[in-house]
Structure formats: C-alpha cells, structure tokens
Amino acid sequence: MNIQTLKQSYINKNTQFVVFSIEGQLLGSCDTLFKVKMEKDTLFEEVPFLASMVEALFDMAEGEELTFPCIGEDLYGNEGYFDFVFNKQKYQGKEAMLWIIHDFSEHYEHLISLQQQRNESEIKGEFLETEKKNIQLENELLEYKNAELERLQQIKSRFFSNISHELRTPLNGIYGLANLIDGTGDKHKLKEYTEALNATVVHLTTMVNDILDHSKIEAGKITFVKEPFDLRATLRTVSNSFLFACREKGIDLQVNLSFDLPRVIVGDATKLSQILYNLLGNAVKFTDKGSIRLEVSLLSMQESCTELQFSISDTGIGIAKEKLEKIFAPYEQATDHTSRLFGGTGLGLNIVKQLVELQGGSIRVDSSLGHGTEFVLSIRYEGALKEKNPEPYVSSEASSSSDPTGKILIGEDDTLQQKMLHDLLLKWGYEVSTVGTGKQVMEVLANTELDVLLLDYHMPEMDGYQVASAIRASSESYAHIPIIILTGEQPTYTEGKFQELNIQSFVTKPVLPDELHKMIRRVLTDIQKDRKGRVLSMGKMEVDLSYLIDVMDGDMLKIKELVEIFLSSAPQQISKMHDLYDKKDWHSLQSLVHQSKSNYKYIGILSVGELLDELEQDLKKERNQEGYLSKIEQVEKATHQAVTHLKQMRWSS
Amino acid sequence: MNSKKVILLGKYGVGKTSLIRQFMHKEFSDAYLTTIGVKIEKKIVTTNEGPLAMIIWDIAGESSHRKIPPSYKLGSQGIIYVFDLSRLSTYEALDRELSDLKTLLPNVPISLVGNKKDLLNEKDLDTIAAKLPLVDVTFISARTGENVEKLFHDLALAMVR
Ligand SMILES: Nc1nc2c(ncn2[C@@H]2O[C@H](COP(=O)(O)OP(=O)(O)OP(=O)(O)O)[C@@H](O)[C@H]2O)c(=O)[nH]1
Ligand SMILES: [Mg+2]
C-alpha cells in the first residue's frame, strides 16, 4: 500500500461529499457518513442547517468556498460534530453546490472538556472577584460603622460622666440645704433655705426631665396629643413666665404675633410650650443686654393643615460657626465650655429639634458671635379655627403684669388720633375709653372712677384749658385726677398757661409712643405712692388706709388680705349686734361693739369708729337705750357702703 | 415552509443553551454543560403569517461575538443576545457589542435578554436596569420559564414583519 492510498483511505472514512442543485435537488452523495434520503421535496427541508442557510448559499459566487467549523447536528441519525465546506461549482454542466462534511466528533469532544474547564474557571474567577469586592466594601462599611459607634460611645460616656456630675451638684445642694433647715430655728433663714431648696429642685427636675425626654425620643416612645388649644393664651403663658427674669437682667422681651394667626389650633400645646420654654430660656440665659423677641406667624393654612412659624431671636453672646453645626446633636454640647458654664444636660436643643421634626416641622439656627442668635422653626398642625376679628397681641416687657394698671380717659376730637392713642394704651394693657368733646369728658368723669385723663388741648366747645380748669374747680372726687395735656404748641407756652392748674405732664404732638408710655407709667406710679395715706371719700363716710399702709410698710398684698378679712367679718358682727339687741343682752353687745370698733379704726372707716365709740359709751353708762337700734342701723348702712367701696378698689403694689 | 435563522449570542454560562432547552422542551437543569461550536435546533412556531420554522443556532459563548467564526453569523434573520443578570461581566460591554452587530447585520431584529431573573430581587433589578443601555431589555428566567415563550414569539413576529 503506498502513502497516497493510506491517506485516501484515512480521509475517506471521515468525509462525505454531497452535491445538490441550487433548488435543493440531490444530485449525488457518497453516503460515507450517512445515507441521504429524499423524503421531503428539497434537501433544505431535510437538513435544518441547510434550511437556515438557503439565502446565503444562493448568494455565493461560482468558485467561492464557505467553511463552517464544529457544527453539532443530527444528520440522518448520525449525531456528532462536523466541519462543513461549501463550494459552488458546475456539476454535470449545471450550477450546483458541493457540500463536504468532515466528521471531527472525536476531536471536538476532546475539546469540550477543555472549554468547559476554561469557562468554569473563568466564571469562578469572576465570582471570586465580585465576592472580594463585596467583602472589601462590607469591611469598609463595617470599619466606618465601628469608628462611628466608638465615637458615639465615647461621646456618650463623656456625656454620662458629665451628666452625673451635673446631677450630683444639685443633689449635694439639696442634701446640704435639708441639713441646714433641720438645724435652724431662725424663720428668716428658714425661708431663705426653702427658697433655695425649691430652686435647686426645679433645676434638678428640668435635668431629669431632659434625660427622660431624650431617652423617650431615642426609644421612639414619645407621643403627641391632638387637642384644640388657645394659641395666644399658650404663647402668653410662656412669654409671661420670662418677664421677671428679663426684667431682672434688664433686657426687653418682645412678643409679636401676626394678625392672621388662628385662635385655636389642634395639636400638642404642652410640646409647643416645651419647645418655646427651652429656646426662650436659652435666649435669656445667653443675653445680658438688648432684647429677646418671640415672633409667630402663619406660613400656610389649609383645611387640614396649618403651618406656623416661630422665631426666637436674641441680642446675646451668639454661637461660634464651628459650634453651630453641632448645636442640635445630642451629647456633644454637655461636654463643651458653655454648658460647663451654665449647667444643664445640653440635651435641650436636641429634644427641641426632635419635637419639632416629629411634628412635621423643621428648625434652623442662625447666629453671629457677639451679636445674637435666631432660631426659626415651623410646625404643622392639623387644623385651626380662625378668629373672626383678630386682635394683635403685642407685648413688651413694659406691659408686664406688675406694671401699674389703670383706667384712662382720652379726650381727643380727631378720630385718627383718637384711634391711635386708644390702640396704643390698649396695647400697653390699660383700660381705655375715648370721648371727642370737653363736655363728654366732664360727663364721663362724673360717672366713672378714672386714674388718668389724657386731654387734647385743641377741642371744640370747651378746649383743654377750660376742661382742666372746670375739673380742678369742682368739689367732686375727680377734682384731683392726674391730667396729661396733649398739645401741638411749644410746651413752654402752654405750660405757663396751665401752671396754676396742677397739670401732671405735657406731651407734644406728634406723640412719641415711648415718651407717652413712660409718662403714664410715672403718673400711675405716683398715684400709687399717693395712695399711701390717701383718703377715699364716699359722701359723708371716709375710708383712710393710711394706718394700715404705715403698719404694713406699704405691702399692698398684705393690706388687701386684711381688708378681705374685714369684709367677711364685718357683716357677721353687725348681724350679731342685731341679735344681741333683740335679746337685750347689753353686756355682750357692749363687748362686741368694743371689739369691732378697733377693726373699723384699723381699716380707716373713722366715721363708723366714732359711731361705735358713742354706742359703747351709751351701753357702758346704760343711757340712750332708745338710740341703740338707730346707731346699729347707721353702722350697718355705713358698713355696707364701705364694703361696697372696698370691694371695688383695685389693688396694685 | 418559511424558515428563519436565529442566532444566540452572549458570554459563556449566561444560559443560552438552558433558554433553548426551556423553549423546546420545557426543561431545565442546574448542571452546566458548555456548548462548543454551534448546536442547531429547529422549532416550528405559529405566527399570523402561518407556521414558521425557527432554526436556532446555539453558539458557544465567547466574551465577544468577534471571537465567533463569521460564517456562523452569515444569513442570520434574528438575534437573541443573552446576558446573565447575576454577572456584571456579561453586560458590561453591551453597547459596543450591540452596535457592532447592527453594522454587521443591518435590519436584523435583536432581542436583548437578561437571564436568571430568578436570582435577583426587584430592587437589584431596578439598579441593574438603570445601568443598561437605553434599549428594550427583557428579563427572563430559563429556570422558571418566565418570559421565555414570549421572547421567541415576539422575535418571530419581528422577523416575519
Ligand atoms: N438560576 C438560574 N440558573 C440558570 C438560568 N439559566 C441558566 N442557568 C444556569 O447557568 C449555567 C449555564 O447555563 P447554560 O445554558 O449552559 O449557559 P450557556 O450560555 O449556554 O453557556 P455556554 O454554552 O458556555 O456559552 C447552568 O448551570 C444553568 O443551570 C436561569 O434562568 N436561572
Ligand atoms: Mg450553551
């Protein structure tokens, strides 16, 4: 056998030649690998591979060759891997396709395991790579979390060591004060100690509440009530509680509520108070001069949602920029210098922030070191009742409750100025009535008890001068009412004219509110000083409190208490007098008269005192028996008058 | 009968063979048996134009279609490009692959499919979808058969249109 035949026989057994026409008719096959059957119309329908290549094969040029390696197909029951070669050429004079099929199954099957290995290891590699990346990311995250956790832990433990110090200080104080109270018999000292004890307990309670609130919020256990509440009243209560502290420090507290605020809103009034107490408390704490302002306005109002904005600003020490960022963070503050200086948990602002945010709001802070701080926050409330005639509530330190109060009459013919003065005085907290003519002024004075008269100089009919003269000339009780003259003239000219009329003050128009306010306050304060020893005349009867005022050192509250005791006991004593008179028990009547006599003298109802003196003498000497009853009745009548009068008295310190 | 050549492309292991097996026989296997060369299958589907013989070329996966013998792609009338939703490397270079194929086989409908949907949750799918090129992608699962029938049906319609 020669080499050519060897080669031939080797290639022969793995290769088949098939020839078919362009239309797919079988023209010849050597059938070495499989027997070509023609059960269908064309070869294309017999062999899926050919079916999918019809067009491509058609498109081939004559003599062109196409190779398809490694085709896995079932050829007439012969499954394996083949290489296909197509060659377009003439066969028996007609255009035909030579299809050469090489069976390389053995060779390719060997390749499968190699390719399988390659693919599997690459896929595995990919997964390892991704996993590695994930682990790396997770590690980084974990590291970050750990660092953060450690940082928090450190802050927390620092916080707790500070807080326990903060708590121990008042506790020590309480312990010490309790010992002092135990050991002292001095009443004065005792009062001092209990006051200090009270203040310490309040301070401690605030801190404990802060800590409790904070942990409640952290545990997500805080709840908000949804109840209607009077917005203005709540704001007033909060701001009023700072009036004293502000006055002590000599700073102004201004409250500004916008006109359109709803009267009643639905939400948690206590939480709102808590927020404002905290922020105003801070403002007072960190402000030594200037003012503190609380402003409240309406951001939006829909049927089911009312958004309010609160701004709390001060002219205090301010907060440094780098601290501003951390100001709402819990724990952080308690460790820094300011809180060391002022005490407290440093949780307050964090609680405020949480309370605001949990009520659908937001809070921000703006501050400039040395100039002041402003907190602006908004809260969403569910609903609101709108006020029909909203009245602005503007308050300032000046209208604090302990300022002198009073009834003021304005005599002014110009409607605009009338209105302006009226609103100003009302704003300052006085009771105000207005009239337009001098004649009306006289009428009102005759029927109403007033404290101050604000009188315009230029008025129709009777001018200010004429009115003032008439008042001073009268014999009525209003003859001495303090008068403030409003004038457009140079005060020197007017003053000269009014000299003999004892006019308290002159105010030049246009009126400067501050000046007027000061003047009214001064006049009212003077009146109150004058009350010391002032005699209240009531027709024939007089009440003279000067004795009590002297004895009580001008402490009006105490005087009031004594008067009240008198008011409740006097009618009882009189009815007892009637009883004893009916029983003709002259002895008991005499001692009762003696006893009550001094009460009337203390209170300063001198005429009754004298009457009782006479009655006592009569009883003693058993004379004028027929006059006993009429004297008792006179006492009764006078007492009734005095009681009515005293009950109407306005008490101010 | 009208017949159309459909080729399946995509990286190894993305599930081309599994997808065809699910389509042909409603079967699935977890074992991975790689394909070499190309395996040719035929399935007759019905379209509104009558029956259509889909001759499906299950081509061995490569990292790029460029590594596949050009004769395999010759005369294709539909392309299914498969990637594995659980393997980033199988869809990283989609943009280039798709534009290459469009130049090579203009006017041939291409179905882009993300396989192994069963391995991912909705959130992960959204994240992946955001990273993909702005073309129609069908998320399928050869394991559960989700969207498999629809995929071939839609492609058949696109091819006879
Ligand atoms: N979970 C899941 N696994 C799948 C899915 N489809 C395929 N697989 C698995 O993926 C692996 C690869 O599947 P094949 O279908 O062989 O992938 P191929 O694309 O044909 O791979 P090559 O032939 O190498 O290109 C096998 O282990 C399958 O079981 C699927 O939808 N879900
Ligand atoms: Mg495969």
Side-chain angles (χ1 to χ4, degrees), chain B residues 12-13 15-18 29-30 32 34-35 61 115-116 118 142-143:
Chain B
Y12 39 78
K16 297 178 292 295
T17 307
S18 303
S29 159
D30 275 318
Y32 173 34
T34 191
T35 310
N115 187 30
K116 310 196 188 178
D118 55 286
R143 172 186 271 272

Side-chain angles (χ1 to χ4, degrees), chain A residues 320-380:
Chain A
K321 216 180 183 148
E322 64 271 17
K323 286 211 182 121
L324 215 51
E325 292 159 16
K326 288 187 177 172
I327 196 159
F328 293 113
Y331 313 127
E332 309 250 3
Q333 266 201 89
T335 56
D336 79 7
H337 175 68
T338 11
S339 89
R340 300 252 57 124
L341 216 58
F342 293 93
T345 59
L347 288 174
L349 284 177
N350 178 254
I351 294 171
V352 165
K353 183 178 154 77
Q354 308 261 21
L355 289 180
V356 169
E357 284 174 356
L358 289 169
Q359 292 180 91
S362 64
I363 183 165
R364 64 184 156 81
V365 58
D366 208 6
S367 186
S368 139
L369 203 58
H371 295 283
T373 305
E374 183 183 22
F375 285 90
V376 180
L377 62 103
S378 64
I379 297 181
R380 285 210 193 111

Side-chain angles (χ1 to χ4, degrees), chain A residues 341-484:
Chain A
L341 216 58
F342 293 93
T345 59
L347 288 174
L349 284 177
N350 178 254
I351 294 171
V352 165
K353 183 178 154 77
Q354 308 261 21
L355 289 180
V356 169
E357 284 174 356
L358 289 169
Q359 292 180 91
S362 64
I363 183 165
R364 64 184 156 81
V365 58
D366 208 6
S367 186
S368 139
L369 203 58
H371 295 283
T373 305
E374 183 183 22
F375 285 90
V376 180
L377 62 103
S378 64
I379 297 181
R380 285 210 193 111
Y381 288 102
E382 267 195 4
L385 301 175
K386 213 176 162 111
E387 199 167 24
K388 274 195 196 112
N389 290 309
E391 200 177 85
Y393 166 68
V394 183
S395 138
S396 74
E397 206 275 330
S399 70
S400 94
S401 54
S402 50
D403 249 19
T405 54
K407 274 192 192 166
I408 299 177
L409 176 65
I410 302 170
E412 163 73 71
D413 59 323
D414 183 277
T415 359
L416 187 130
Q417 294 188 35
Q418 211 180 60
K419 170 98 180 89
M420 189 202 77
L421 286 168
H422 177 269
D423 288 356
L424 269 179
L425 295 180
L426 211 60
K427 184 174 101 175
W428 294 331
Y430 301 113
E431 284 178 55
V432 196
S433 24
T434 23
V435 291
T437 67
K439 228 170 114 190
Q440 286 169 323
V441 170
M442 299 308 292
E443 277 167 24
V444 173
L445 280 176
N447 297 310
T448 326
E449 204 189 331
L450 292 162
D451 294 304
V452 178
L453 173 62
L454 218 60
L455 195 58
D456 183 27
Y457 177 53
H458 290 284
M459 276 201 299
E461 295 165 13
M462 281 169 99
D463 70 16
Y465 177 76
Q466 287 168 316
V467 176
S469 311
I471 291 171
R472 293 296 185 240
S474 89
S475 56
E476 300 294 326
S477 59
Y478 57 71
H480 302 291
I481 187 171
I483 300 174
I484 297 174

Side-chain angles (χ1 to χ4, degrees), chain A residues 238-254:
Chain A
V238 175
S239 64
N240 276 346
S241 69
F242 288 99
L243 283 173
F244 180 72
C246 284
R247 200 131 52 96
E248 288 265 285
K249 294 188 85 171
I251 47 181
D252 206 22
L253 174 62
Q254 296 160 0

